[in-house]
């Protein structure tokens, strides 16, 4: 939201400095993004008079000027075609920084003639792109005076950042009201006297859907003369980056920023029959004022005549009924349009406009009639004409509400004791009306332009921000003990640990939207209807993500398209099962695509596979404190994984992680070239470690006794998982058996049809004595028995 200091003073009677105004705006929650003061940038430029202009002795296109700067006469070599004696222009002396050229002037010699400054063009002062000649000023321009002050460029432009709830401050008057409440001046009264209509409007207005447009006020004005708007109006619009078009259009743009009241003016001679506010029709198109054609549908609100759509309600007008210099009769529109529908239409069609910005945040419902009256007055003043009576369709929606503020709540919620009289003053200065005052509470009426104030806490916030957040004392929290409690919960520590673990494994962290297109989400399981967004920020981000993987897969694809096919990405964040508070999982997900990058120069690159994803998932689980030694691996991974190259890590019935190669059809749909693997670790499902009493044991115990390795080969059914054999062998003697690993799997001659041989290596680590042959034989028999019981297998002969 941009405005100039003089524009602000149209509404605020104040002598506060620019610095104090800027500081107060930020303290009020209207954060100042920038202040552009052209007078400082152009302070060195002065109005000068060309006394004489002679041809350069050594250049046909150059002239040697004698320039009166008001304090001295200097010699300037100039190549502008309009340089001549008697001209008044803008002069820059040596040492001046020229913003349009990004240079600092130095005394120079041009073709043997000394030049002591420069006569400037508009482009050199960044006033426009014009550079074919130097600036020409009127004959009465005062020589030696500041050009910035003479040209009205000494009006600083303030740019503030608005939060979505402060729709009232999308107009200069709302900003002035806040500053007045903060004690920086007095809010000037706003004149909006009704204009008496001279005749009945030839156009009527009909609203077909009051939920899309609760109220529409129109007025026919005949005999207008539409030409350039006056300089004061053009200067205001130019200062905030708007291009003046014509008086009629400039008036609507001015009131949009002045009062946060968007308006539109139709060329009445191009409107057929009257005005109808309705929904768009499938196949209907609109050629908009921005030069683009848009296809409409039944969810878009349009302002139409009796033949076709003439404007997108609250967003942009149509080109056919736009006002031009030939316009003589106009129909003025002041209306209320549904914020949600306006936002949806704007996003759907990709149109950003100043009107949409305000309507989707909610304009003042009580300002429709006053807005129409103020616009009528400006049109009559600047364009002449004769107004009709107002045409009013629909009615002002009910916005009146009263709230109760308990005086002690300001201290209780905000931590600062604001006197009751000051609470009343602040609220009344902001437009709230106190209707009942009691010893401990006050009942107030909320103004129409503050739709964001819905409860007592909002009233407390209003008092606190105007009183000053800096006035809230910094009070340390009381501690129960001398040792501070941990700042992070176990879940928060788990998320941080997962990120560090994955980063250490060579993956790069990504941060993606928590939304995605519904057609993409459908590839990753059944989508709960409650996850669809009513008012999405973009038409293609219409559902909450059921999985993080789709966003990471698409990010990997974008990297591949840009020449980086070998990539590893991860993200730790929420995935959604349903819209309930418990339907959200904290997930650490990752994707590897292309080739696995070797960690050693002697190793060769290879395509990523499911075991890479499994290793990533196990690393996260181990870092999160999961008992990885007790996990089971099953093959029931969901459909977005390859059915033969994926798995699920479980602790009993609880799923802790999924991993595997991503299904080729999913990659094809997302237009990503494989191979690609992924994993999803459900951090909330990892059980909290149990606290045990007793003496703490050292983390690492080294035994002085020699470990013993023994190999076993078991013949089992082909469908038996090797992991089952490993677990059974480990369980034979947990104290003595240090490790079990698979080193060979064989199917073929000698083991029988439908059978396989799985060879494992078992490491025995004694801690109190050296093992004898009898000890080793006994433990071997335990291992064989345990595997036979768990798998039905037998020791291979």
């Amino acid at each position: 939201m941009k405005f100039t200091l003089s524009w602000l003073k149209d509404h605020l009677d104040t002598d506060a400095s620019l610095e104090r105004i800027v500081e107060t705006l930020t303290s009020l929650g209207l954060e100042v993004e920038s202040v552009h003061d052209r007078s400082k940038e152009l302070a060195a430029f002065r109005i000068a008079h060309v006394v004489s202009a002679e041809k350069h002795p050594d250049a046909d296109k150059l002239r040697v000027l004698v320039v009166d700067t008001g304090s001295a006469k200097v010699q300037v070599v100039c190549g502008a075609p309009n340089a001549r004696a008697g001209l008044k222009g803008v002069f820059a002396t040596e040492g001046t920084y020229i913003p349009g050229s990004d240079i600092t002037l130095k005394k120079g010699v041009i073709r043997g003639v000394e030049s002591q400054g420069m006569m400037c063009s508009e482009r050199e002062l960044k006033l426009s792109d014009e550079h074919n000649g130097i600036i020409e000023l009127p004959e009465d321009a005062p020589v030696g005076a500041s050009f910035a002050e003479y040209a009205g460029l000494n009006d600083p432009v303030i740019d503030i950042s608005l939060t979505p709830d402060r729709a009232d401050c999308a107009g200069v008057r709302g900003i002035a009201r806040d500053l007045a409440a903060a004690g920086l001046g007095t809010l000037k009264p706003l004149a909006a006297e009704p204009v008496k209509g001279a005749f009945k409007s030839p156009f009527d207005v009909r609203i077909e859907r009051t939920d899309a447009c609760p109220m529409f006020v129109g007025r026919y004005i005949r005999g207008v003369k539409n030409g350039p708007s006056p300089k004061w109006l053009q200067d205001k619009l130019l200062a905030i980056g708007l291009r003046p078009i014509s008086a009629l259009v400039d008036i609507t743009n001015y009131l949009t920023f002045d009062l946060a009241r968007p308006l539109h003016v139709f060329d009445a001679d191009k409107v057929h029959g009257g005005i109808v506010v309705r929904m768009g029709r499938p196949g209907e198109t609109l050629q908009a004022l921005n030069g683009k054609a848009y296809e409409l549908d039944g969810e878009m609100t349009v302002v139409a005549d009796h033949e076709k759509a003439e404007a997108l309600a609250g967003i942009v007008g149509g080109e056919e009924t736009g006002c031009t210099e030939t316009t003589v009769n106009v129909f003025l529109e002041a209306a209320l349009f549904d914020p949600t529908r306006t936002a949806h239409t704007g996003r759907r069609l990709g149109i950003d406009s100043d009107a949409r910005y305000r309507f989707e945040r909610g304009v003042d419902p009580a300002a429709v009639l006053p807005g129409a009256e103020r616009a009528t007055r400006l049109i009559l003043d600047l364009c002449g004409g004769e107004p009709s009576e107002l045409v009013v369709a629909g009615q002002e929606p009910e916005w009146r509400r009263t709230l109760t503020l308990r005086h002690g709540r300001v201290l209780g919620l905000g931590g600062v004791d604001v006197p009751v009289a000051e609470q009343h003053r602040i609220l009344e200065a902001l437009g709230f009306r106190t209707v009942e005052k009691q010893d401990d509470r006050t009942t107030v009426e909320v103004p129409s332009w503050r739709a964001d104030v819905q409860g007592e806490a909002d009233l407390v916030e209003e008092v606190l921000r105007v009183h000053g957040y800096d006035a809230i004392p910094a009070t340390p929290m009381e501690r129960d003990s001398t040792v501070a409690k941990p700042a992070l919960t176990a879940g928060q520590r788990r998320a941080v640990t997962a990120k560090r673990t994955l980063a250490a494994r060579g993956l790069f962290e990504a941060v993606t939207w928590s939304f995605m297109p519904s057609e993409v989400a459908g590839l990753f399981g059944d989508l709960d209807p409650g996850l669809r967004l009513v008012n999405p920020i973009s038409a293609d981000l219409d559902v909450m993500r059921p999985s993080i993987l789709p966003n990471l897969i698409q990010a990997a694809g974008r990297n591949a398209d840009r020449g980086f096919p070998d990539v590893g990405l991860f993200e730790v964040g929420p995935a959604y099962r349903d819209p309930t508070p418990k339907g959200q999982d904290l997930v650490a997900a990752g994707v590897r695509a292309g080739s696995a990058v070797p960690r050693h120069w002697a190793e060769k690159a290879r395509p990523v596979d499911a075991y890479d994803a499994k290793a990533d998932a196990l690393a996260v689980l181990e870092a999160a404190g999961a008992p990885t030694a007790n996990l089971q691996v099953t093959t029931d991974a969901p459909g977005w994984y390859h059915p033969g190259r994926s798995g699920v890590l479980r602790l009993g019935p609880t799923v802790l992680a999924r991993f595997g190669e991503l299904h080729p059809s999913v990659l094809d749909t997302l237009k990503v070239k494989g191979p690609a693997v992924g994993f999803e670790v459900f951090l909330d499902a990892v059980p909290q470690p149990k606290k045990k009493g007793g003496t703490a044991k050292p983390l690492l115990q080294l035994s002085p006794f020699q470990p013993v390795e023994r190999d076993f080969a078991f013949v089992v059914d082909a469908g038996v998982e090797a992991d089952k054999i490993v677990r059974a062998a480990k369980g034979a003697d947990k104290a003595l058996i240090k490790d079990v690993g698979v080193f060979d799997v064989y199917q073929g001659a000698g083991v029988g049809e439908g059978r396989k041989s799985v060879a494992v290596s078992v490491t025995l680590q004694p801690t109190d004595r050296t093992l004898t042959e009898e000890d080793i034989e006994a433990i071997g028999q335990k291992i064989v028995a345990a595997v036979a019981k768990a798998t039905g297998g037998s020791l291979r002969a």
Side-chain angles (χ1 to χ4, degrees):
M1 171 64 190
K2 291 184 179 180
F3 57 94
T4 64
L5 181 60
S6 65
W7 197 341
L8 176 68
K9 290 184 177 182
D10 289 346
H11 295 277
L12 183 69
D13 187 2
T14 182
D15 57 1
S17 66
L18 175 64
E19 291 73 19
R20 189 179 175 203
I21 288 172
V22 168
E23 181 181 346
T24 305
L25 284 170
T26 298
S27 69
L28 285 167
L30 307 175
E31 184 178 358
V32 176
E33 294 282 345
S34 65
V35 178
H36 188 197
D37 190 352
R38 296 294 307 275
S39 64
K40 292 182 179 179
E41 190 177 58
L42 302 178
F45 296 88
R46 298 286 161 177
I47 298 173
H49 176 238
V50 179
V51 177
S52 65
E54 304 294 337
K55 181 179 177 298
H56 192 289
D58 196 27
D60 293 338
K61 294 185 178 181
L62 297 179
R63 291 179 180 274
V64 180
L65 312 180
V66 175
V67 178
D68 180 6
T69 67
S71 59
K73 291 183 179 180
V74 297
Q75 180 174 277
V76 175
V77 176
C78 181
N82 62 334
R84 65 186 184 276
L87 179 144
K88 287 189 177 180
V90 181
F91 174 75
T93 187
E94 57 187 272
T96 301
Y97 174 73
I98 310 299
S101 304
D102 193 24
I103 61 171
T104 299
L105 282 182
K106 297 179 180 179
K107 183 185 292 186
V109 177
I110 303 175
R111 293 286 185 96
V113 178
E114 186 179 81
S115 183
Q116 299 171 314
M118 171 190 282
M119 296 296 290
C120 303
S121 69
E122 290 188 2
R123 188 168 75 173
E124 286 158 341
L125 271 60
K126 295 178 70 173
L127 300 178
S128 73
D129 291 331
E130 179 59 47
H131 64 287
N132 291 325
I134 57 178
I135 297 172
E136 294 192 38
L137 299 177
E139 292 183 2
D140 60 353
V143 175
S146 165
F147 170 70
E149 291 186 14
Y150 174 79
L153 298 174
N154 58 340
D155 193 6
V157 178
I158 304 170
D159 185 8
I160 65 172
S161 176
L162 289 182
T163 51
D165 59 322
R166 293 307 307 277
D168 59 308
C169 287
V172 178
R173 185 163 184 82
I175 298 167
R177 184 186 297 111
D178 265 24
L179 289 170
L184 260 66
T186 305
L187 188 67
K188 296 179 180 179
L190 183 65
E193 297 85 1
V195 178
K196 186 177 181 181
F199 59 95
K200 185 177 180 180
S201 170
F203 289 165
D204 62 349
V205 176
R206 187 175 79 252
I207 300 175
E208 292 187 354
R209 290 277 297 272
T210 55
D211 60 330
C213 175
M215 185 178 185
F216 190 109
V217 174
R219 171 171 259 153
Y220 193 100
I221 306 174
R222 62 192 180 193
V224 301
K225 184 177 181 181
N226 189 27
S229 53
K231 186 177 184 301
W232 69 265
L233 181 51
Q234 292 193 35
D235 287 345
K236 287 185 185 296
L237 298 181
L238 284 169
I240 62 174
L242 293 181
R243 179 175 61 89
I245 298 173
S246 67
L248 289 170
V249 177
D250 293 351
I251 287 169
T252 62
N253 287 334
Y254 167 70
L255 290 176
T256 296
F257 281 83
D258 190 57
L259 302 177
R261 174 63 261 181
L263 303 156
H264 187 63
V265 180
F266 297 91
D267 187 325
D269 294 332
K270 300 173 184 176
V271 175
H272 304 282
I275 296 295
V276 181
V277 184
R278 59 172 173 80
M279 309 313 294
R281 295 164 182 163
E284 191 173 21
T285 60
L286 174 72
Q287 185 70 34
L289 284 169
N290 59 10
K292 298 180 181 179
Y294 298 99
E295 186 174 343
L296 312 179
D297 62 32
E299 295 299 317
M300 301 176 183
T301 309
V302 300
V303 180
D305 58 19
H306 290 181
E307 293 185 1
K308 58 184 180 302
E310 299 294 358
L312 272 168
I315 299 176
V316 67
E319 188 174 80
E320 184 172 332
T321 55
C323 294
T324 66
E325 65 278 0
T326 62
T327 299
V328 293
N329 300 311
V330 298
F331 190 74
L332 172 67
E333 166 205 300
L336 291 176
F337 298 112
D338 175 55
T340 301
R341 202 179 296 274
T342 303
H344 175 81
T345 301
R347 282 195 295 266
R348 178 82 174 271
L349 298 178
I351 305 175
D352 288 318
S353 68
D354 295 321
R356 173 196 161 185
Y357 179 87
R358 288 156 179 80
F359 274 118
E360 68 183 6
R361 284 161 174 76
V363 300
D364 183 356
V368 184
L369 280 168
E373 298 286 10
R374 187 164 174 80
T376 301
R377 179 63 63 191
L378 277 172
I379 292 173
L380 297 180
D381 289 345
L382 302 184
C383 304
E386 186 179 25
S388 76
E389 298 171 353
L390 288 175
V391 181
V392 180
Q395 60 183 0
E396 185 180 299
E398 182 54 50
W399 53 266
R400 293 168 180 79
R401 59 190 178 281
T402 58
L403 300 174
T404 299
L405 173 63
R406 293 167 287 175
H407 304 146
R409 296 298 284 166
V410 175
L411 175 61
L413 292 178
V416 59
D417 191 7
V418 180
V420 174
E422 177 65 5
Q423 294 182 29
H424 292 165
R425 185 202 70 78
I426 290 173
L427 291 174
E428 289 169 358
L430 291 173
F432 297 84
R433 192 169 75 89
T434 56
V435 294
E436 184 180 354
K437 299 177 182 178
Q438 299 179 15
D439 292 339
D440 63 337
R441 66 190 62 206
T442 300
T443 303
V444 299
E445 288 182 351
V446 181
S448 59
W449 56 83
R450 293 305 302 270
D452 58 306
V453 177
Q454 296 289 333
E456 184 182 37
D458 296 325
L459 295 175
V460 171
E461 181 184 6
E462 293 301 298
V463 172
L464 288 174
R465 72 180 183 87
V466 175
H467 183 70
Y469 290 126
D470 293 342
I472 300 176
T475 306
M477 301 291 289
E478 293 184 5
R479 291 182 176 179
D480 296 333
S481 64
T482 56
V483 179
K485 295 181 179 179
L488 299 178
T489 65
Q492 290 170 326
R493 288 197 299 272
R494 222 170 240 175
V496 172
T497 302
K499 292 180 180 182
R500 290 178 175 173
T501 301
L502 292 170
R505 291 184 59 79
L507 281 80
F508 293 94
E509 184 175 9
V511 179
T512 67
W513 290 107
S514 290
F515 322 109
M516 63 178 54
S518 52
E519 58 269 19
V520 173
L523 299 172
F524 291 79
D526 295 332
L527 190 65
D528 190 290
L531 296 180
R532 293 187 179 275
L533 301 177
V534 176
N535 189 16
I537 61 172
S538 175
D540 60 346
L541 298 175
D542 56 342
V543 298
M544 303 298 290
R545 63 185 184 191
S547 170
I548 302 177
L549 285 180
N551 288 340
L552 294 179
I553 295 169
Q554 291 175 304
R558 287 191 292 272
N559 276 271
D561 293 342
R562 288 157 179 78
F564 299 95
D566 304 329
V567 66
L569 302 173
F570 79 89
E571 181 175 359
V572 178
Y576 303 89
R577 289 177 278 108
D578 58 62
T580 64
K582 294 184 178 180
Q584 176 176 325
D585 299 314
L586 179 62
V587 179
V591 167
R592 291 183 183 270
S595 299
V597 180
R599 289 178 175 267
H600 192 273
W601 60 269
E603 297 179 14
K604 294 182 179 180
R606 58 170 178 78
V608 292
D609 57 30
Y611 294 105
D612 293 313
K614 181 181 180 183
D616 291 331
L618 284 172
V620 174
L621 287 171
E622 187 169 4
T628 52
N630 299 331
L631 298 181
Q632 301 89 38
V633 181
T634 59
T635 58
D636 54 339
W640 51 92
Y641 292 101
H642 194 296
R645 302 171 189 172
S646 59
V648 177
L649 295 172
R650 297 177 179 272
L651 187 62
T654 304
V655 174
L656 298 189
R658 302 188 288 236
F659 66 90
E661 186 174 320
L662 296 165
H663 201 288
S665 65
V666 171
L667 295 179
D668 287 344
T669 303
L670 298 179
K671 298 180 181 179
V672 176
K673 186 178 180 181
V677 298
F679 64 88
E680 299 162 281
V681 178
F682 302 96
L683 296 175
D684 291 334
V686 177
Q688 296 286 346
K690 296 180 180 179
K691 294 182 179 179
K692 296 182 179 180
T695 305
K697 296 181 180 179
L699 295 177
L700 181 62
Q701 291 181 329
L702 298 177
S703 174
F705 302 102
Q706 185 73 20
V708 177
E709 291 189 9
R710 286 290 184 269
D711 296 339
F712 300 85
F714 296 99
V715 178
V716 295
D717 290 338
V720 174
E721 299 166 350
D723 184 62
K724 228 173 182 182
I725 298 173
V726 171
R727 290 180 181 280
K730 279 186 177 180
D733 192 326
K734 294 181 179 179
L736 191 58
I737 297 175
K738 175 79 171 179
D739 188 34
V740 179
V742 178
F743 67 86
D744 182 58
V745 178
Y746 169 75
Q747 283 183 280
V751 297
E753 186 71 25
R755 307 275 282 175
K756 66 180 178 182
S757 170
V758 179
V760 297
S761 176
V762 180
T763 301
L764 309 177
Q765 178 61 69
T767 58
D768 57 351
R769 62 188 176 86
T770 300
L771 296 178
T772 64
E773 284 296 329
E774 290 78 11
D775 295 330
I776 297 171
E777 181 65 26
I779 194 62
Q781 291 176 3
K782 285 184 179 181
I783 292 172
V784 173
V787 172
K789 182 178 179 182
T791 67
S794 59
L795 197 64
R796 183 177 176 185

